[in-house]
Structures are given as structure tokens and as C-alpha cells.
Amino acid sequence: MIAPGLALLARFVGHLFAYSLIGTTSWRLLSLCGISISSWWLLAGLIASLPLRITFKILARNYEAAALGARPMHVLQGGTFGNIDLMLKLVEAKRTGYPGDLLTKIVTAVGNCFNCRIMFDDLLFTCEPHHIKAILATDFESFVKGDRFKAQMLSVLGTGVFNSDAHMWKFHRSITRPFFTHDRISHINIFDRHAECTINQIKSRLRAGYPVDFQDAISRFTIDSATEFLFGKCVHSLSAGLVYPYNAAPVGNSVGKSDDADDFARAFARAQYMASVRVRRSWLWPLFELWGDGTVEPMKVVNAYVEPFLQDAIEKAKAASLHGENTPESSDEDTLLDHLVRLTTDPVVLKDAILNIMIAGRDTTAGTLTFVVYLLSTNPNVLARLREEIMTKIGPRNRPTYEAIRDMKYLRAVINETLRLFPAVPFNVRQSVKATTLSSPDPSEKPYYVPANTQITYSVLIMHRRKDLWGPDADEFDPDRFLDHRLHTYLTPKPFIFLPFNAGPRICLGQQFAYSEMSFMLIRLLQQFDTIRLAPDAHAPNTLPPPTWATSTCRKATEKIFPKLHLTMYAHGGLWVRMTEADNGIV
């Protein structure tokens, strides 16, 4: 397969050849008509036509904006040709900075929506709730994932539900929706088995005197749960043992060892990171992968891990069909793959569907639970109150039921407040189908113009932390904002200011599944532990917030861990904690 960068250069050379051919042909025709033009003048004219073409494009768009009764968004002015410096700053900020920090500074300086215009290509940004509402819901048909985004994500997500439009999107959504339409007892059984194993591993490590990387433990819980839920075959990543701190020697013969599940998780995270960086590099992204696709090697590991499960399911389905066996009716014991192979045995479709759901079912859940425990560790009063609700409504040992989970208002508030501050997918992208407008926050002003075929990035992370939308304490962790007068002051009148699971026709199908899994694990965890403390001494060098963050005027100043993101959010270097086992008075 040709490298993305070489493919882009080949297209550029083709365009240049065509451009030169047109110029040369025009020069010869003029010569035949007796009009003599120096070849140097011709070359100068061809070179001058490029900025003229860009200028004409901008003027044409300004005219179209005026015809729509709209105004262009503010265009950022970088310090180099084509705003290349701005693109590099955005990429570097993603790699080394606090999530959304650079864009938040730009928002503070110029407003909540603007145009980055990288290499003369419009790249819009917004964190306005009414813009996001239009993009996701009220003007849904005018915005799609778009060809550029799909090209950037194709090598990782294929044409799955998160990376498709129109008929393909509807197909993927239709084949997965029935599986999430009701609560299944089998899911509770899966959660319970793997929660017990995870907590036992945590207890064992703590009793040995070591802190625990909760992010590692919960990632193993979610991958074991996800593989059993998706494939019906758990990979038992927890059997490899939890990782030790960087400065502690592993003990025993199974601790910290690598296995296929670990290799898969690392490779999938790497592939997602490479794909997410492509978005910030705009249409120039292939030039940064000039000699090879940066996702190929990690995706080889991912595919090698997933494909045997798919092949086994396909062979069973084909064997059943060959022997004339009727397709069994669906049941609560079915896995997602069981459900899907009744509808198709196309291995590409199945793989794309599974990988897309795995990101939703594993990465987002693990990230959110990591940040919940982080926030509980830094807010012991919230932890105590949450544990009190668990003891009152569930008890120290009883298994949670769906009905009991739905009745736990404070638990839901804790999860929601975590998702507000650390949404699993903090940035997302759409592309306009046609020239359209987005309303102005000030009704007396003209709406904003959105050209056709233009990418627009929206950030729920920045929107969720806006003080004008959530109040002066928006940077603080306070679950009560989802229970007290602030709920009716801020959220009830403007429900689109809180979008952890997207909205509109593309709203997350597994929203209730995610709430159930996170709630179940947190209940089981706090039945067993009553205090959680951070263990910064266990963090490897350069994985904690740098001292310069302390001078910030936003939440970054008080952060005790280093949040980062690829497609989803995670804690850089893990979340190392020490926990105290609860004395529930049970002998």
C-alpha cells in the first residue's frame, strides 16, 4: 500500500502537470495567433495566478456569506505562511499540553468560534451549545463526518459507525441498535465476575505494600468485560497481573508480564493517537506520514488479536447454514458477535463494527472510571457521601441490580460531574454538506457563515467548563450541581450544554450500558474500600503535571495528574493510588 504522503505528493504532481499543460497550451495558442509572450512572463503569470486563485476563493465565499445574510468567522492570524505555525502549535499542545488549553486561550482572546484556516483551507472551531445543537440535531442533514475525516480514520476505524455517513452509517447503526435496546442480566453477570477479579487483584497488591495503578486495573476490567460481551470469550488480561510502580521490582512470576491483551491495548491506543493527530494537521496530514502509514504496524497487532474471534464466529455461522440448521432466536445470553453474524458474515463489516464498539465499550468506560476515582481521591467528602448512599441502598455485600442502580441519584451525579469535567470524547469533527449558517450568540448580529465541504471541530470539553454556561464554579468538581438549584438554573433550560454521549440521530447507542457498567464497578469498589489516596511517588518521571501548571488561572492549576487524549481521554502515566479496605463489621 502506498504511503499517505507519497499519495498526496503524486496527486500534487498530477495537478501541477495539468496546470503546466494548460499554461503551455495557452502560450502556444497565443503564439499561433501572432501574440508573442516571453516564457518568463508566462511563468510569472502562472505563479501569480495561485495567490489570485486563493484571493478569488475568499472573495467568492465572502459574497456567498453576504447572500446568506451571514458573516465569516474570525480568522486566526499565525506568524508564518498559511498558519503553519498554528497547526504545529496545536499538534504540540496535544502531545505535551493540558487538553484543550491552547484552544481555550484562543477562545478567551477571540470568542467561542473561529477559523484556523490552515494552508488557506478553512478549519472552523466552535464550543457554542446552539452551534453544536444544530450540527448534531436540528440541522443534522447539513453536517456529516466527511471524506477528509473518514480518510484520516479509515485505517483504524474502517467504515464503522463512528466513521461513516449516509447508508453505511444507517446500516451499522441498524445492526447494532437491537443489542442495546434493553438491560440484560447476562451483562450484570459479566460485570460481576470481572469486578470481583479486579478488586481481588487490587487487594492483593495493596496488602503487599504497593500502590496500584487504577487505570491499568480498570483497563483490564473493561477489556475482559468487553471481549466477553463482544465475543463471548474473555481474554483474561487480569491473569497477567497488575503493573508495579516504575521504581519497584516485580515480585513473582506473573506480575507485570506482557500478554496478547496488553499488546492489543497498547497498539490500539497508538493507532488512535496517530489517527487523532491527523485531524489537527488538516489536509497536510499525509506529509507527516511520507514514507509509511503510521497506523499500519499497531493495526497489525489489533487485527491479529481480533480476527481469530471473527473467523471462529463466521465459520460456526456458515457451518450451521450448511447443515440446514435454523438461525437460533436471540437471547439474553447472546454476545454482540452472535447477534451480528446472524445479519452478515462479511469479515470487514464485522471487524469494523466490533472495533468501533470496542472503543465505545472499553476505552471510554475505562477513562471515565479512572477520572471518577481520581476525583474521589481528591474529594474525600464526596467519596464518603457516595459510599454512604451505596451502603444505604445496596449494602456492604449485595449485588447491585439495574433497578437499584437507577435509584442511586448521587452516584449518577458523581458520574455526570466527572463526564462534565473529563468527557470521554472531548473533541469531535463534522463537515458541512452545503453552504449554511450557524446562529450568533447575540440575536442582533448576523449568523456565522459555514462554507460547503468545510470541516468544523466542536469541543464539549471546553463547553462543559465554560463559566457563563455552568456558573463561576465551573472548574470545580461538585456533583451537587446535578441535584440542586444549579440543575434548573443552568442545565434544564439549555440541555445541550452537557453532551458526554453526543446527541441527535448519532447519540451513543450504548449510553445506558456504559452508565450501568460504570455504576456497577464503582458500587463494588466502594463496598470494599472506604478511602482512596493518590500515590505520586509511584509515578514515573515526567508523568505528573509540570510545576508551570500551578500558575494557571483555570482548573489546570490544581490538577494532580496529567490528563491526555488520543480519540478518548486518559491519565498520562496511569493513576497510582493507595486504598484502605473497609471494615463493614462483617465477620
Side-chain angles (χ1 to χ4, degrees), residues 213-221 238 241-243 262 370 574-575:
D213 179 0
F214 185 80
Q215 181 169 254
D216 171 69
I218 208 65
S219 294
R220 294 173 187 276
F221 163 76
L238 282 160
L242 306 182
V243 296
D262 289 341
T370 296
L575 177 67

Side-chain angles (χ1 to χ4, degrees), residues 299-313:
M299 286 308 294
K300 283 182 181 177
V301 178
V302 171
N303 293 335
Y305 178 81
V306 170
E307 286 171 356
F309 293 113
L310 303 181
Q311 196 58 43
D312 183 54

Side-chain angles (χ1 to χ4, degrees), residues 163-183:
N163 196 40
S164 57
D165 290 313
H167 298 299
M168 182 58 72
W169 167 70
K170 290 178 181 178
F171 169 73
H172 272 288
R173 197 165 174 90
S174 69
I175 64 175
T176 53
R177 181 190 290 113
F179 199 71
F180 293 100
T181 54
H182 68 280
D183 297 330

